[in-house]
Amino acid sequence: RAALAIPKGPEREEFIDQGSAKILKSMEAWKEQTKTGLSSVTERFERLHEIYYGKDRDFTNYPPVKMQPHMPKVRLGILPDSWFQAFYNKTGVLGPYILALGVPTFLISKEYWVLDPEGMVLLVSVPALIAFVKKYGQRIKEMEAKKANELNESVIVRPIEAAKDSGRDLVRLTESQLQSSPIVFEEAFKAKREILDLQLEEEYRRRLAEVARTVERRMTYHVELAAAKKSFQQQHLVQWVLDGVTKSITPQQEKEAIQQCIRELRALAPKTA
């Protein structure tokens, strides 16, 4: 109704100009706001990237720490498997187990470790801790994974989806504002049509240039083919004439020609002397 209630006469153009100016002003404001937000985010990201991954960072001695998606493999319930792998090259497979049993045995035999009540508590606490990890470790792991997923959803996924939704809403609002103003919609349609005409003209000129290049290459090929054919015919004709003249000379004529040359040389010898 608001779109149809446009006054007529001189007031119509003024009303349309005001509506177009408002739409353009809102679009420019949104553009500046978006540009400012993106520039601030870009500057902050570049500053952090320069701090953590700049040219002054020593990647050899201090490589970037990568978070593992799953807990590393363990032995005996609580001991990391990497500790056992470190002994394999030196002591073999049984080296870590012998070390684990030999060190306490050595300490107890030399009485460096006295089995007092606190030591007995330690001997009981270790199997209890292993049993606790075996029974409740998977549940705790699932709980932590659930918390991590919720944190990822709240910090990364939801803000991105909200930004996408706000962008779609802004696009729909802009389209509705454009459609609500007939003159703006008409000008936008004309602009799109002119852009399409320019694209068609560009494609036509590109194809026309491609046709011209193709015709030029073919004409050049035919000219070179005719020149090569003419050169081959000339060489063949000259060789044919030479072969015919060579075959027509008899041994007697060749001998007479040689004697005639010798006589002429003898006649020229006194003159040169």
Side-chain angles (χ1 to χ4, degrees), residues 228-242:
K229 193 178 295 184
K230 184 178 180 181
S231 176
F232 177 77
Q233 290 176 354
Q234 289 178 353
Q235 293 179 0
H236 179 72
L237 180 60
V238 171
Q239 188 66 31
W240 179 73
V241 172
L242 292 176

Side-chain angles (χ1 to χ4, degrees), residues 111-129:
E111 294 186 356
Y112 293 123
W113 180 19
V114 179
L115 292 178
D116 53 0
E118 293 181 357
M120 300 303 296
V121 171
L122 178 63
L123 295 178
V124 176
S125 300
V126 171
L129 180 61

